[in-house]
Amino acid sequence: AQSVTQPDIHITVSEGASLELRCNYSYGATPYLFWYVQSPGQGLQLLLKYFSGDTLVQGIKGFEAEFKRSQSSFNLRKPSVHWSDAAEYFCAVGLKTSYDKVIFGPGTSLSVIP
Amino acid sequence: DVKVTQSSRYLVKRTGEKVFLECVQDMDHENMFWYRQDPGLGLRLIYFSYDVKMKEKGDIPEGYSVSREKKERFSLILESASTNQTSMYLCASGTSGSQRNEQFFGPGTRLTVL
């Protein structure tokens, strides 16, 4: 069955430090891949997406992610975290089915220490 | 900008009440989705619709129904609310075109069933 794993439930980093959030998926083909961010009390906002081509994708707010087919991973990175990055981050896999379903990971909560 | 709106940000209902959650999108998207979000579980798909008057069950449809009479509007109905339906409900819309699987989210409705 298809699934998305985010091994880290909660991460705390200092402001200015680098960040990497992990995401692994299980799917029989190369899926479409997404990272979303959710600020407290808000809906989800798309950070970046991978459909095909270059495996390193750039997103908004200085985030990037790298697709590694051999590891079934799509990790999110940011070189220098800002206090406003504190939020919940969701990795998602888009299934190549006729109904465009998306499976979301359980989320990683990020706290930023000033 | 794509805008997805939900009728209420917060809602408190009593057990057994019939509850309507409304979602409207303004981007002429074919696909619309209802998720519930619970801590540690990520987003779970309740129902989705790929066209007017069409609906498909998601992963957790029990206790819910939906209605899509117009392309821009997708309603989630709790026929008889129960306490285990206390949750955050998120609506999303998306297109089946070149950016398939990409979903745009509303701000969410936090429902409490007493």
Side-chain angles (χ1 to χ4, degrees):
Chain A
Q2 306 94 353
S3 65
V4 179
T5 305
Q6 293 180 246
D8 304 303
I9 298 173
H10 185 87
I11 285 182
T12 300
V13 300
S14 297
E15 193 168 17
S18 64
L19 172 70
E20 182 169 27
L21 302 183
R22 296 181 290 164
C23 173
N24 292 94
Y25 67 89
S26 174
Y27 185 51
T30 300
Y32 303 124
L33 297 161
F34 306 87
W35 274 100
Y36 286 86
V37 61
Q38 184 182 33
S39 298
Q42 303 295 317
L44 276 68
Q45 179 185 20
L46 182 69
L47 280 177
L48 46 77
K49 59 193 175 188
Y50 172 79
F51 284 168
S52 65
D54 193 346
T55 56
L56 183 64
V57 294
Q58 304 297 320
I60 63 171
K61 305 185 181 188
F63 285 92
E64 66 177 26
E66 185 172 13
F67 168 53
K68 293 185 176 179
R69 185 191 312 272
S70 61
Q71 298 176 18
S72 297
S73 69
F74 189 56
N75 293 349
L76 181 72
R77 299 192 294 249
K78 186 170 184 178
S80 177
V81 171
H82 188 263
W83 63 266
S84 60
D85 293 324
E88 188 93 16
Y89 291 81
F90 293 94
C91 180
V93 165
L95 307 182
K96 295 177 180 178
T97 64
S98 56
Y99 295 140
D100 299 336
K101 282 183 66 176
V102 175
I103 297 177
F104 288 85
T108 296
S109 177
L110 174 65
S111 296
V112 180
I113 301 173
Chain B
D1 276 354
V2 175
K3 195 161 181 100
V4 180
T5 57
Q6 295 183 228
S7 51
S8 304
R9 293 299 302 273
Y10 301 93
L11 210 52
V12 179
K13 296 292 183 181
R14 298 212 173 269
T15 302
E17 280 192 78
K18 191 169 186 176
V19 182
F20 293 87
L21 303 183
E22 301 283 333
C23 175
V24 178
Q25 53 97 1
D26 66 358
M27 282 301 293
D28 202 36
H29 284 164
E30 301 88 355
N31 305 325
M32 295 189 75
F33 307 83
W34 275 106
Y35 297 91
R36 65 176 283 175
Q37 181 182 13
D38 300 289
L41 297 178
L43 277 69
R44 293 179 292 167
L45 182 64
I46 304 171
Y47 267 97
F48 64 101
S49 168
Y50 53 93
D51 201 351
V52 176
K53 296 191 186 296
M54 306 302 288
K55 61 186 179 184
E56 291 285 336
K57 292 180 180 179
D59 301 316
I60 52 165
E62 296 79 17
Y64 303 94
S65 62
V66 290
S67 172
R68 193 168 181 199
E69 296 297 319
K70 294 184 177 182
K71 190 174 186 179
E72 68 271 17
R73 188 179 298 271
F74 192 36
S75 302
L76 180 69
I77 304 155
L78 288 64
E79 296 290 343
S80 178
S82 64
T83 55
N84 63 12
Q85 292 178 309
T86 291
S87 187
M88 170 72 95
Y89 290 88
L90 293 168
C91 175
S93 72
T95 181
S96 294
S98 62
Q99 301 300 306
R100 63 184 303 167
N101 289 130
E102 181 177 348
Q103 297 184 11
F104 299 84
F105 284 83
T109 295
R110 185 164 295 281
L111 173 66
T112 301
V113 183
L114 302 176

